[in-house]
């Protein structure tokens, strides 16, 4: 006698699976109107540090993927890309702390895979979204997805535009010493504003040639155009601490960052028993055009200019080409066993040309060869892997081995310096799970991984904040290697606890310190420290105090021990850090819902840096409308503007303290609407071959 039955369900914000943690972004009210970087910052165990460096449970070396493909940028440029990517385009975030041999060996801390919304249903369907947010500056965006799927064809595409104005207010105090005596200091403030206008699009086609064969092509591209402005003010102090002069630097830059990528893929089932072959061919290009100017004026104590101004300009041109091909084969062994094998080859060419000019005398500009450079880099990586897995009634086993051969050559045309590297490394991994009872199961896993320096980290170009501060790459960085071990427990298929240990040799660590041979000049760069050891404990507990209240609680505790040398200072230090997050969802009447989020992290020693505690609180509400096809969301993140980094850095002859104010507090409103057929399961995933290379693409110029 029933005419219709409607089942309404919503994915939880946090899901725990055997090999990964999943953050369902669309289920979060607080994610509305924010960026991908904001979403990561609120994900359990993920920390966005003082320079937008991303870590998992306090460990750096995280690989960021978009739909299974490693992102094209690293460092500050990766952070800017994630700031531009609207959260409305994200379906979920997958956090994998110990990947198998099937994945590239890169990423000693694990993998974060950002899965975008796409091609989920048969028929014609899609969605529209609009959002507006206000922090110190505005954040607005709009986007759409479209998908049409029939028995033979699947055509899909999406486009998102964001107009986000972002600020970074850095306040720092730098004291310089010689033989224990203070020689002077800078009291500085740098206010940076970047108005992003970001376009990102993707279109693809699948042809189901037969029930066993699918052929697909995907094209994607981004265009990021912005003109940043910055103002730095610096008070100069003598040894006793009296102010003796001042200088200020006005920074202007025009930036154009286009990218495009092409992927062709084939998936063929050799029989009905599970034998399968997949092939991916990728080509991607990333380039940039940037012009900069730094105008510095010098003042006495009365604010009168007491020396000629200094005008430094630059022209940065960068070009990166990535070519990659990979093939994966799956062969079933009985009903519960499986053997996977694959090969991959990639070729990367990078060309970065940077020219600096002293235009203090505008009629006679002078080419500055001391900081200009032209850097060429070529890298070929060839890899192969075997991975075996088997399930029994009580336990399961997975074991794999991956081999990677790296051939790399770098050349600095300005100085004639070159380097050549050719090495082979082996990366084993094992995973073991045992189900003692229906209420308790335990797992052990181990893997060896590496992190190659990103192209930005290898690039020796200098990026200036003012005459006293710059960032530069280190072309002589070595890759870092990590052994990781995890012992995990699951109770009642809900509660999880993990004990882990990792040891990294030649650890690539970001350092900020004085430049040897230059007076009162500070550099931000990367160095290989001798080693780092991590001990960690992680636990998650989903709780339902009431039928209408769902709470996901995550606790991460770790101890990182750093050993190495930099700036005439020996390092052997570390501390116990606690990071706690709770996300609470309230299901209310009449299609209303609410969310409350809280995060807290204690102080942390990272290399030579001692970071202060941070905490933040956010809340939001949503209402489903238009027969539940439309959703309106209102939210406020970091209500008290407290989730902000600050730290002190100590070397033998240098001490720096800083605090950073950025737009973690933001009020947002968004509207999304789904149309078309919404009744059939998700189409296949796509993951190309140019994965690890894109993560390391870095700044191009």
């Amino acid at each position: 006698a029933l005419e219709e039955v409607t089942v309404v369900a919503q994915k939880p914000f946090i899901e725990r699976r055997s090999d990964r943690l999943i953050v369902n972004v669309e289920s979060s009210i607080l994610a509305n109107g924010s960026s991908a970087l904001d979403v990561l910052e609120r994900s359990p165990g993920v920390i966005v540090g003082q320079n937008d460096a991303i870590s998992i449970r306090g460990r750096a070396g995280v690989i960021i993927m978009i739909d299974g493909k490693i992102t094209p940028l690293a460092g500050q440029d990766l952070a800017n890309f994630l700031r531009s990517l609207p959260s409305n385009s994200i379906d979920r975030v997958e956090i994998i702390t110990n990947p198998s041999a099937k994945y590239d060996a890169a990423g000693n801390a694990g993998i974060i895979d950002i899965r975008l919304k796409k091609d989920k249903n048969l028929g014609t369907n899609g969605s529209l979204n609009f959002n507006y947010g206000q922090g110190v500056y505005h954040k607005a965006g709009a986007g759409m997805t479209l998908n049409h799927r029939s028995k033979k064809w699947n055509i899909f595409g999406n486009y998102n535009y964001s107009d986000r104005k972002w600020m970074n207010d850095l306040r720092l105090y730098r004291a310089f010493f010689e033989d224990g005596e203070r020689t002077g200091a800078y009291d500085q403030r740098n206010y940076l504003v970047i108005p992003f206008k970001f376009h990102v699009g993707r279109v693809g086609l699948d042809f189901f040639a037969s029930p066993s064969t699918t052929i697909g092509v995907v094209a994607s591209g981004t265009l990021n155009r912005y003109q940043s402005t910055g103002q730095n003010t610096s008070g100069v102090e003598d040894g006793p601490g009296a102010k003796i002069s001042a200088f200020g630097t006005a920074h202007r830059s025009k930036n154009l960052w286009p990218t495009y990528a092409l992927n062709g893929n084939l998936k063929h089932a050799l029989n009905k028993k599970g034998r399968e072959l997949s092939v991916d061919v990728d080509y991607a290009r990333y380039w940039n055009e940037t012009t900069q100017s730094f105008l510095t004026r010098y003042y006495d104590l009365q604010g009168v200019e007491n020396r000629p101004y200094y005008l430094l300009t630059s022209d940065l041109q960068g070009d990166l080409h990535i070519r990659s091909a990979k093939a994966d084969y799956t062969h079933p062994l009985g009903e519960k066993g499986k053997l996977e094998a694959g090969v991959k080859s990639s070729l990367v060419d990078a060309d970065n040309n940077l020219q600096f000019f002293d235009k203090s005398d505008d009629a006679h500009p002078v080419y500055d060869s001391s900081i200009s450079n032209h850097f060429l880099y070529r890298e070929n990586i060839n890899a192969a892997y075997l991975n075996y897995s088997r399930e029994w009634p009580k336990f399961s086993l997975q074991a794999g081995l991956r081999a990677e051969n790296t051939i790399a050559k770098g050349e600095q045309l300005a100085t004639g310096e070159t380097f050549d590297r050719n090495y082979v490394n082996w990366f084993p991994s094992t995973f073991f799970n045992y189900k003692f009872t229906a209420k308790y199961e335990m797992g052990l896993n181990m893997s060896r991984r590496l992190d190659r320096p990103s192209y930005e980290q290898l690039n020796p170009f200098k990026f200036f904040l003012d005459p006293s501060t710059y960032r530069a790459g280190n072309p002589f960085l070595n890759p870092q290697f990590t052994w990781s071990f995890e012992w995990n427990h699951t109770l009642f298929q809900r509660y999880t606890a993990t004990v882990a240990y990792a040891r990294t040799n030649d650890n690539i660590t970001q350092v900020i310190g004085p430049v040897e041979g230059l007076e009162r000049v500070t550099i931000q760069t990367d160095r290989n420290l001798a080693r780092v050891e991590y001990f960690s404990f992680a636990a998650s507990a989903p709780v339902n105090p009431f039928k209408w209240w769902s709470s996901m609680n995550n606790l991460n505790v770790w101890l990182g021990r750093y050993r190495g040398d930099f700036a005439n200072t020996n390092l052997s230090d570390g501390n116990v850090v606690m990071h706690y997050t709770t996300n609470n969802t309230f299901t209310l009447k009449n299609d209303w819902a609410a969310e409350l989020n809280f995060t807290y992290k204690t102080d942390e020693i990272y290399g030579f840096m001692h970071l202060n505690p941070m905490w933040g609180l956010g809340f939001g509400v949503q209402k489903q409308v238009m027969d539940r096809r439309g959703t309106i969301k209102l939210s406020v993140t970091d209500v008290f503007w407290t989730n902000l980094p600050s730290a002190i850095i100590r070397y033998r002859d240098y001490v720096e303290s800083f605090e950073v104010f950025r737009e973690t507090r933001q009020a947002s409103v968004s509207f999304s609407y789904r149309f078309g057929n919404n009744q059939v399961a998700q189409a296949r995933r796509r993951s190309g071959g140019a994965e690890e290379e894109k993560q390391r693409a870095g700044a191009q110029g």
Side-chain angles (χ1 to χ4, degrees), residues 457-683:
Q457 290 173 323
L458 292 170
N459 192 333
F461 292 160
K462 295 178 174 65
F463 300 86
F464 286 87
L465 185 66
D466 59 52
S468 69
T469 312
Y470 69 90
R471 173 168 57 93
N474 177 6
F476 303 105
L477 277 177
N478 294 315
Q480 64 181 28
F481 293 88
T482 301
W483 284 98
S484 295
F485 304 86
E486 288 189 354
W487 180 26
N488 56 69
H489 310 264
T490 304
L491 293 171
F492 305 105
Q493 299 181 346
R494 287 173 58 85
Y495 309 105
T496 65
T498 301
V499 178
Y501 169 77
R503 179 188 174 105
T504 301
N505 292 323
D506 286 330
N507 188 77
I508 299 173
T509 305
Q510 185 179 92
V511 293
I512 303 172
V515 179
E516 187 175 355
L518 296 178
E519 184 178 357
R520 298 187 186 182
V521 176
T522 303
I523 183 175
Q524 175 186 321
T525 187
D526 293 275
R527 290 288 188 271
N528 288 110
L529 296 185
R531 68 180 182 271
V532 174
E533 291 183 285
Y534 275 95
F535 306 84
S536 68
F537 170 78
S540 68
V543 180
N544 296 92
F546 300 98
K547 186 177 180 180
W548 46 268
W549 179 4
S550 175
S551 177
M552 172 58 78
N553 303 275
N554 295 274
L555 175 67
N556 291 278
V557 181
W558 67 84
L559 167 64
R561 297 288 303 182
Y562 294 83
R563 290 174 174 84
D565 294 276
F566 178 67
N568 298 316
T569 305
N570 179 263
L571 174 66
S572 180
D573 205 357
N575 73 321
V576 176
V577 184
M578 183 188 76
H579 183 221
Y580 171 72
T581 63
T582 178
N583 187 273
N584 299 270
T585 303
F586 308 95
T587 303
L588 309 176
K589 295 181 179 180
N590 301 320
D591 295 325
W592 282 88
E595 181 179 333
L596 181 68
N597 175 281
F598 175 78
T599 180
Y600 174 76
K601 184 176 80 71
T602 61
D603 65 314
E604 176 184 11
I605 293 175
Y606 172 77
F608 295 90
M609 186 181 304
H610 193 150
L611 291 150
N612 296 318
M614 299 165 58
W615 66 276
L617 178 73
F619 67 88
V621 296
Q622 78 171 29
K623 166 70 172 174
Q624 291 184 324
V625 296
M626 306 172 73
D627 197 25
R628 294 197 177 98
R629 287 180 174 264
T631 304
I632 301 172
K633 298 181 180 181
L634 300 170
S635 66
V636 180
T637 59
D638 196 12
V639 177
F640 299 101
W641 210 17
T642 50
N643 202 23
L644 301 165
S646 62
I648 187 168
I649 305 168
R650 294 184 184 275
Y651 298 99
R652 191 186 71 175
D653 297 321
Y654 176 79
V655 177
E656 173 184 320
S657 61
F658 70 82
E659 55 183 344
V660 182
F661 293 86
R662 56 193 186 194
E663 292 184 89
T664 54
R665 180 169 61 184
Q666 177 183 326
S668 301
V669 58
S670 73
F671 172 75
S672 62
Y673 178 75
R674 300 177 300 277
F675 58 87
N677 188 354
N678 295 294
Q679 298 179 358
V680 184
Q682 179 173 342

Side-chain angles (χ1 to χ4, degrees), residues 114-126:
I114 300 173
R115 294 282 175 171
L116 303 180
K117 297 176 182 177
K118 62 181 187 297
D119 62 299
K120 291 189 176 180
N121 306 297
L122 287 178
T124 301
N125 54 79

